[in-house]
Amino acid sequence: MRKQSAVVSIALWTLLSLVTLAPIYWLFVVSAKSRVDLFGSPSFLLKSFFPDNYVNTLTDPSFQKYMLNSIIIATSNAVLVTLLGFLATYALSRFKLVGKENVFFWTITNRMAPPAVFLLPLFLIYTQVVAIGDWRLYDTRIGLILLYCVFNLPFAVWTLRSIIDAIPIELDEAATIDGASTFQLLTRVIFPLARPGLAVTMILTWIFAWNEYLLAATLTSVQARTITTLLAEYVSVTGTNWGQLAATAMLTIVPALVILGVVQRHIVAGLTFGAVKG
């Protein structure tokens, strides 16, 4: 009976994996075909590899520029959000603040509304309200980094809240009695214990910023466009360059897959940290 259950479980997980990976495989097949093969008879199997789509994409100055923008914006956002979320969550967890539960709930509600709701006011703020001389937040890396922090910080606070709460407050008291300052307490006691949660928070916020399209497409034009916005440029009134579009999409997926593969164990540890007390 146990062997039958194991076989059924393996079969179900294998089927789920195939269903999940099938779109990625089909995307790769499209990216490896020439224009003639794409519009010929459809085939799920890849019979030959057409490298020009990848060569043209990798040598495209727009791809190189947008990829660099995405790396800088996503990484900066992840670091800033994790740091601010760590400090905010520690304050909500340890200090007796008036109405802190209401503040926590209000923070989470900012994540409930879809970003499209804020597009018009954000566009007006970025293009007209926030301006220092000729400098504006519109079409700048710092503009997107700050904006992604607004949307990702509630997620960081929500993720880290249970992790900080799971750390015994007695450790804070013991460190304080031993003469540790607040900075030493955070860096030498709380930070090492909360490292799994901080890692998963940084990873997930990095992925959120990396995959975001709507805000990047609306609030940038030339200088700060990200790699996800490049995909739309392959669609024009004269047609769609499916091969290069698929190649760009595959190259966009690679960094996220590499990061997830390397830090997968940290994600599991971070998500389960503090789940059980006692």
Side-chain angles (χ1 to χ4, degrees), residues 154 206 209 234:
W206 186 91
Y234 296 116

Side-chain angles (χ1 to χ4, degrees), residues 134-190:
D134 295 331
W135 182 83
R136 287 180 172 83
L137 288 177
Y138 180 77
D139 196 25
T140 61
R141 292 173 179 171
I142 187 64
L144 280 184
I145 293 171
L146 294 177
L147 185 57
Y148 289 164
C149 286
V150 172
F151 288 99
N152 289 333
L153 188 56
F155 170 79
V157 173
W158 176 76
T159 304
L160 293 173
R161 178 70 184 273
S162 61
I163 294 172
I164 301 298
D165 287 344
I167 300 175
I169 194 173
E170 289 78 11
L171 294 177
D172 301 42
E173 297 171 350
T176 303
I177 293 174
D178 290 339
S181 63
T182 303
F183 179 78
Q184 291 173 329
L185 172 63
L186 289 173
T187 56
R188 298 184 181 181
V189 179
I190 305 299

